[in-house]
Amino acid sequence: AQRVTQPEKLLSVFKGAPVELKCNYSYSGSPELFWYVQYSRQRLQLLLRHISRESIKGFTADLNKGETSFHLKKPFAQEEDSAMYYCALSPRYSTLTFGKGTMLLVSP
Amino acid sequence: DAGITQSPRHKVTETGTPVTLRCHQTENHRYMYWYRQDPGHGLRLIHYSYGVKDTDKGEVSDGYSVSRSKTEDFLLTLESATSSQTSVYFCAISDPDSNTGELFFGEGSRLTVL
């Protein structure tokens, strides 16, 4: 069975500092990996997918199959980045499994 | 936002009473899901549907049942609510033909079981 681990419940940084939200997964095949974000009083929404290799709102995430990781990074955090972030995994054509989430707080 | 609405948005009920949450979509997406969100547990899949009258269990299905009689509606029923089912419930939809794997979420339904 697949599993997603986000080791940090809370990550607190100052504005302008680099951010790295950790995500490790366990799955025997080749999964699809995602980061979802939930801003205060908003719906959960997709931030980015590993397969598209894009940068959204300055965030990037690289899939490291050797370390089975998909860490989310941003070089300079902004206050509006404060939110709950979920890493998620999907075996191809199957349902999404979420990690427990990391709350990111960016202070001025 | 994707056309997904959940009702009710808030509900307080007593242990042992039945509760039904409704998810309605206007996107004509084939897949629909019910998740629950709890502190320290993240989002966990309860049930999902891959078409009308086609449903399957998720990770935490005990105590829950679902029905999908139309493409646009997916109902989650707690036959006899317990305090452990106090949670925020999210409906989500996806289009498997899009090949993006993206889920679109509703705004959530906060259920309190006293």
Side-chain angles (χ1 to χ4, degrees), chain A residues 6-21:
Chain A
Q6 294 180 250
E8 304 136 330
K9 287 185 179 179
L10 172 65
L11 185 62
S12 186
V13 301
F14 288 105
K15 177 182 173 181
V19 170
E20 182 179 65
L21 288 82

Side-chain angles (χ1 to χ4, degrees), chain B residues 14-33:
Chain B
E14 293 186 350
T15 299
T17 59
V19 175
T20 295
L21 305 179
R22 179 179 182 243
C23 178
H24 178 78
Q25 61 144 329
T26 58
E27 304 296 319
N28 202 38
H29 283 356
R30 190 151 48 98
Y31 283 26
M32 297 185 76
Y33 311 80

Side-chain angles (χ1 to χ4, degrees), chain B residues 42-83:
Chain B
L43 285 108
R44 292 178 292 174
L45 182 63
I46 304 171
H47 282 281
Y48 64 101
S49 169
Y50 40 92
V52 173
K53 297 188 178 172
D54 287 326
T55 65
D56 207 347
K57 296 179 180 180
E59 180 188 354
V60 290
S61 59
D62 288 348
Y64 302 94
S65 62
V66 290
S67 66
R68 191 162 178 208
S69 58
K70 305 187 280 186
T71 299
E72 56 267 34
D73 289 325
F74 193 32
L75 304 181
L76 177 70
T77 298
L78 291 66
E79 300 290 347
S80 177
T82 67
S83 58

Side-chain angles (χ1 to χ4, degrees), chain A residues 2-84:
Chain A
Q2 63 264 25
R3 187 167 64 240
V4 177
T5 303
Q6 294 180 250
E8 304 136 330
K9 287 185 179 179
L10 172 65
L11 185 62
S12 186
V13 301
F14 288 105
K15 177 182 173 181
V19 170
E20 182 179 65
L21 288 82
K22 291 184 168 49
C23 173
N24 289 90
Y25 67 91
S26 63
Y27 180 65
S28 57
S30 292
E32 296 184 19
L33 285 148
F34 307 82
W35 277 98
Y36 279 78
V37 61
Q38 188 176 26
Y39 301 103
S40 179
R41 289 184 289 278
Q42 292 189 28
R43 302 171 189 237
L44 199 69
Q45 59 188 283
L46 178 66
L47 180 62
L48 53 79
R49 301 174 290 146
H50 92 270
I51 201 166
S52 58
R53 303 181 68 82
E54 56 198 343
S55 172
I56 302 293
K57 299 184 179 183
F59 285 98
T60 58
D62 291 320
L63 177 60
N64 185 323
K65 291 186 178 180
E67 296 182 357
T68 59
S69 68
F70 188 54
H71 304 327
L72 184 68
K73 300 177 183 180
K74 185 170 183 177
F76 307 103
Q78 303 300 315
E79 290 181 67
E80 55 266 30
D81 295 329
S82 295
M84 179 68 96

